Amino acid sequence: MSEGTRPRPLEVALLASVFVVAACGLVYELAAGALASYVLGDSVLQFSTIIGTYLFAMGVGSWLSRFFERQLPAHFLRIELLVALVGGALPALLFLAHAWQPGAFRVLLYGLVLLVGMLVGLEIPLVMRILKRDVALRELVSQVLTFDYLGALAVSIAFPLLLVPQLGLIRTGLLFGLMNAAVAVWALWLFRHELRRFAAHAVACAATLGALGAAFAGSQHITSLAEDRFYQDKIVLAESSPWQRIVVTQGRGGMRLFLNGNLQFAQADEYRYHEALVHPAMAAHGAPRKVAVLGGGDGLAVREVLRYPSVESITLVELDPNMTRLFSTDPALVALNGGALRSPRVKVVNTDAFQWLQQGQDTFDVIVVDFPDPTNFSIGKLYTNAFYALLDQRLAASGYAVVQTTSPLVARQSFWTVATTMESVGLRTFPYHAHVPSFGEWGFIIASRRPWREPQALPEGLRFLTLEGTRALFDFPRDMARVPAEVNRLSNQLLVTTYEREWGKVHP
């Protein structure tokens, strides 16, 4: 490269700033989308609206940049500090709003996304105009866009695989806020001879770095403040994985597990849920040898399956390895599931259940499907006819599958949609329900190629089910009786919108 084409130090510094700016902007966008999906559900809808709002705001910011005519370095520095403060604090502010003022969450979410998007939209045009003084337009556009896209690529990979699992959303936001502030400090030094109020800018940079640094150091207190308020009971375990936020609380009623803020079980009555889920199918089979449990990484369903001496092997398919690790190593959680995940009869497979069904060949006498409710499309695919067709292929000719199927009282249409969907692939369905105080009336569906028969015996030591009580579970009163429903398909996933609509009547 000749001397005439070698990049100048100022050009290199500003292009590096473009890389950082692009990375930071995308982190704030991803953090807002992730929090919206945690709190509001339906991840596709939330990410779509967040991205659309953010891009619109960036367009507004780019248009506003035309009104910045003089002192461009000073404007760039101020905008960087504002982005650092607002973007860096965005996850923390949203967490606190969700815990303390849940009604304001949506307004604050989109207000912050609009503000951050406009500020980010101002950054790149100002950098380009600053660089334009020294770089030809053709090279300028290609270089700026190259570094902009590279920054976005780097953070899009790091966000789910490294940043959220290791730092959590609050610290990730604050870290990238500090990076934005570092760009401002770098601009302060680069343009020190052009800035008219150097001392004031230096104080602003120091104050921003100090505020973000203090917040980062106290991020655990911020998280605790928000989560303690939201969960009410004392939090005894909390960590983030690439798939979800796992929180375990301890209160008067014992431990409770929350995934992304949604209750999964309460120690006080989980036995009702898991006995109802497992035993009507297991006991009806008679002597199941090979069992698969899909979901249920807490090991509580596995605990119930292990009551049957005929069972030779249990394959637990759980997407999140953090779940199976916690429930096989933490003493309190291990005591809850009776050490089920440590049993030599149990094989843990950490993978997506849909893919596991597609790729395997083994068949099972009983398959227990214990997924969370279909609150978003990534879970909703596990309630489609495509999934149930795969499930049917892995079920032995005389086998039973049983699926937890939300509340037939609160989400009546959703419940019967699942039954209709299972029947659409040729399975016979046998719906039933049980009362679990923490959830209310809860539904399950047994599916098979042969009729379900009433169990002749149940394992010893059950706290909820009896033979007579099991028979009664299959009786539906009028307000939960079957209603017409459509098939839930991968191409439409109507169950997700139906579920959100029905539960929204109860939990606005």
Side-chain angles (χ1 to χ4, degrees):
M1 182 180 289
S2 66
E3 185 68 31
T5 59
R6 184 176 297 133
R8 298 175 57 187
L10 175 61
E11 180 184 345
V12 172
L14 286 174
L15 290 174
S17 298
V18 169
F19 181 92
V20 175
V21 162
C24 293
L26 185 57
V27 161
Y28 306 142
E29 182 181 359
L30 291 173
L35 275 167
S37 65
Y38 287 177
V39 174
L40 303 176
D42 192 351
S43 57
V44 173
L45 173 64
Q46 302 310 326
F47 270 99
S48 295
T49 54
I50 292 296
I51 291 171
T53 302
Y54 189 81
L55 291 175
F56 166 76
M58 286 183 66
V60 173
S62 297
W63 180 79
L64 290 174
S65 67
R66 64 191 295 184
F67 298 106
F68 293 80
E69 298 178 357
R70 300 178 181 179
Q71 288 289 302
L72 295 183
H75 290 311
F76 176 73
L77 190 152
R78 295 188 192 101
I79 289 168
E80 282 302 298
L81 293 179
L82 284 172
V83 173
L85 284 171
V86 180
L90 182 145
L93 290 174
L94 290 176
F95 260 117
L96 292 170
H98 176 49
W100 292 83
Q101 291 292 333
F105 178 85
R106 197 184 298 265
V107 174
L108 183 63
L109 169 68
Y110 285 97
L112 288 173
V113 169
L114 280 168
L115 180 56
V116 172
M118 285 191 291
L119 292 171
V120 171
L122 282 166
E123 291 174 312
I124 301 301
L126 290 181
V127 170
M128 292 181 71
R129 287 167 63 186
I130 293 170
L131 282 168
K132 189 178 178 181
R133 299 178 298 191
D134 301 294
V135 182
L137 179 62
R138 184 175 63 181
E139 294 182 5
L140 170 65
V141 173
S142 66
Q143 290 177 355
V144 168
L145 292 181
T146 296
F147 278 83
D148 183 51
Y149 296 148
L150 285 174
L153 173 64
V155 83
S156 67
I157 296 172
F159 185 82
L161 299 180
L162 178 64
L163 295 171
V164 173
Q166 297 299 321
L167 297 177
L169 283 172
I170 289 180
R171 282 194 292 177
T172 294
L174 292 167
L175 174 64
F176 278 79
L178 285 167
M179 292 171 65
N180 263 129
V183 170
V185 173
W186 186 236
L188 177 72
W189 174 253
L190 285 177
F191 302 107
R192 60 192 180 279
H193 301 302
E194 298 183 42
L195 297 172
R196 295 176 181 175
R197 302 175 61 189
F198 180 85
H201 289 305
V203 170
C205 287
T208 301
L209 285 169
L212 291 170
F216 188 88
S219 59
Q220 189 57 48
H221 296 292
I222 298 173
T223 303
S224 297
L225 180 65
E227 291 189 331
D228 287 348
R229 172 75 176 186
F230 177 75
Y231 295 110
Q232 297 181 341
D233 290 337
K234 179 183 178 182
I235 295 174
V236 294
L237 187 153
E239 63 176 69
S240 297
S241 75
W243 298 276
Q244 58 199 352
R245 176 70 172 170
I246 304 169
V247 174
V248 178
T249 66
Q250 177 74 55
R252 293 171 57 187
M255 288 185 288
R256 297 196 296 171
L257 170 68
F258 295 84
L259 299 180
N260 293 340
N262 297 311
L263 179 65
Q264 302 302 304
F265 72 72
Q267 184 177 358
D269 55 22
E270 59 81 13
Y271 66 92
R272 280 178 158 255
Y273 171 90
H274 290 100
E275 288 183 16
L277 171 68
V278 170
H279 297 298
M282 288 287 294
H285 187 280
R289 295 187 302 108
K290 292 180 63 179
V291 178
V293 177
L294 312 185
D298 50 40
L300 299 176
V302 174
R303 178 195 66 196
E304 297 302 316
V305 174
L306 285 169
R307 293 182 184 272
Y308 293 82
S310 65
V311 172
E312 298 173 0
S313 67
I314 303 169
T315 302
L316 172 64
V317 183
E318 164 63 45
L319 177 63
D320 191 348
N322 286 32
M323 279 287 292
T324 49
R325 174 182 55 80
L326 288 170
F327 280 86
S328 60
T329 58
D330 184 274
L333 300 179
V334 169
L336 197 61
N337 63 32
L341 300 186
R342 297 178 177 179
S343 170
R345 289 190 281 170
V346 176
K347 176 185 177 183
V348 176
V349 180
N350 292 122
T351 190
D352 178 78
F354 203 108
Q355 295 179 8
W356 181 80
L357 289 175
Q358 286 179 316
Q359 297 166 1
Q361 300 295 328
D362 292 347
T363 58
F364 297 86
D365 299 314
V366 175
I367 301 178
V368 179
V369 183
D370 190 18
F371 297 133
D373 277 6
T375 54
N376 58 59
F377 292 109
S378 62
I379 301 175
K381 72 178 183 180
L382 305 174
Y383 288 81
T384 60
N385 60 341
F387 179 84
Y388 294 133
L390 293 171
L391 188 71
D392 182 30
Q393 294 173 15
R394 304 295 296 277
L395 199 59
S398 60
Y400 292 116
V402 59
V403 181
Q404 89 80 14
T405 324
T406 196
S407 170
L409 180 63
V410 176
R412 186 177 179 183
Q413 187 77 37
S414 299
F415 180 86
W416 293 110
T417 294
V418 176
T420 299
T421 303
M422 298 181 88
E423 291 166 354
S424 73
V425 302
L427 289 166
R428 301 178 67 171
T429 62
F430 308 92
Y432 63 103
H433 61 97
H435 183 73
V436 183
S438 293
F439 298 99
E441 206 64 39
W442 210 255
F444 311 86
I445 298 175
I446 291 174
S448 66
R449 291 284 176 175
R450 64 166 174 154
W452 176 79
R453 58 186 184 186
E454 293 182 14
Q456 299 303 305
L458 290 170
E460 295 182 359
L462 300 188
R463 300 168 60 190
F464 170 56
L465 279 187
T466 63
L467 289 176
E468 290 184 0
T470 300
R471 191 178 307 118
L473 300 182
F474 290 79
D475 179 41
F476 281 78
R478 287 185 177 182
D479 58 355
M480 294 191 292
R482 186 155 192 166
V483 292
E486 297 181 47
V487 175
N488 184 46
R489 306 177 189 276
L490 272 176
S491 58
N492 60 28
Q493 290 220 34
L494 58 88
L495 178 62
V496 174
T497 53
T498 302
Y499 177 89
E500 288 292 326
R501 183 184 70 250
E502 291 186 308
W503 278 100
K505 297 175 183 177
V506 181
H507 303 291

